[in-house]
Amino acid sequence: MPEIRVGAGHDLHRLEPGHRLVLAGVEIPAERGAVGHSDADVVLHAVTDAILGAAALGDIGRLFPNTDPAYRDADSGLFLSEAVRLAGLAGFEIGNVDTTVILEEPLLAPHIDGMRTKLADVLGIPVGRVSIKAKTGEQIESIGRGEALACEAVVLLARS
Ligand code: MG
């Protein structure tokens, strides 16, 4: 049986006016954007951590410290590309990726296909193996009040 690995990732960022909202590498028009050292892309951060977790290679904060000026306003596609490269060096290829974005507004439905295409592109796998789902925070707690957004990710890796 080929070696199969599962990895889980989670990320959360605050939302504030005057910031960009970038999800899976796609900029989405919104009144409030995500606050972070990099571009604060919760989807790419959660998927990066899921890949690093599956390959037992650490986490995004260890590889790309948010105290490093090199990563200020960085395109998080760089973090994900590096995680894919490191997993590849460890002998793993990506099977599939499933994510859930939790965000009160805006509605993500019109953007999901574009986000999947962009994420698949960075991962270097067919879009049919990449899932992005969206939920709201039901108007309660920080996410429901529009103060934050989060993303959960699960990744399958297989020893190639
Ligand atoms: Mg993050």
Side-chain angles (χ1 to χ4, degrees):
M1 179 180 163
E3 187 180 356
I4 300 288
R5 298 282 192 95
V6 66
H10 166 86
D11 195 33
L12 178 145
H13 281 261
R14 282 184 292 116
L15 287 170
E16 286 180 9
H19 291 263
R20 296 190 305 148
L21 180 62
V22 183
L23 293 172
V26 176
E27 185 159 349
I28 291 168
E31 284 179 22
R32 290 165 155 244
V35 181
H37 184 68
S38 65
D39 63 8
D41 187 326
V42 289
V43 177
L44 298 191
H45 292 184
V47 174
T48 298
D49 256 352
I51 291 170
L52 293 174
L57 288 170
D59 63 48
I60 191 169
R62 196 163 98 194
L63 266 63
F64 313 103
N66 63 9
T67 49
D68 188 334
Y71 304 127
R72 174 164 292 280
D73 299 323
D75 172 356
S76 296
L78 299 173
F79 306 156
L80 182 54
S81 298
E82 180 63 5
V84 171
R85 190 184 74 83
L86 291 172
L89 286 175
F92 293 106
E93 61 183 47
I94 299 165
N96 75 297
V97 174
D98 186 20
T99 64
T100 304
V101 182
I102 311 145
L103 172 67
E104 203 62 17
E105 57 181 22
L107 191 68
L108 292 184
H111 306 287
I112 293 283
D113 284 342
M115 290 162 60
R116 287 177 64 215
T117 301
K118 188 71 194 283
L119 179 53
D121 210 41
V122 180
L123 292 166
I125 61 175
V127 72
R129 290 199 248 148
V130 176
S131 161
I132 298 178
K133 311 185 300 299
K135 302 190 78 67
T136 72
E138 288 287 330
Q139 298 178 317
I140 59 164
E141 300 183 320
S142 57
I143 293 175
R145 289 191 297 267
E147 297 166 2
L149 82 167
C151 183
E152 311 287 349
V154 177
V155 166
L156 193 82
L157 299 186
R159 184 80 73 178
S160 46

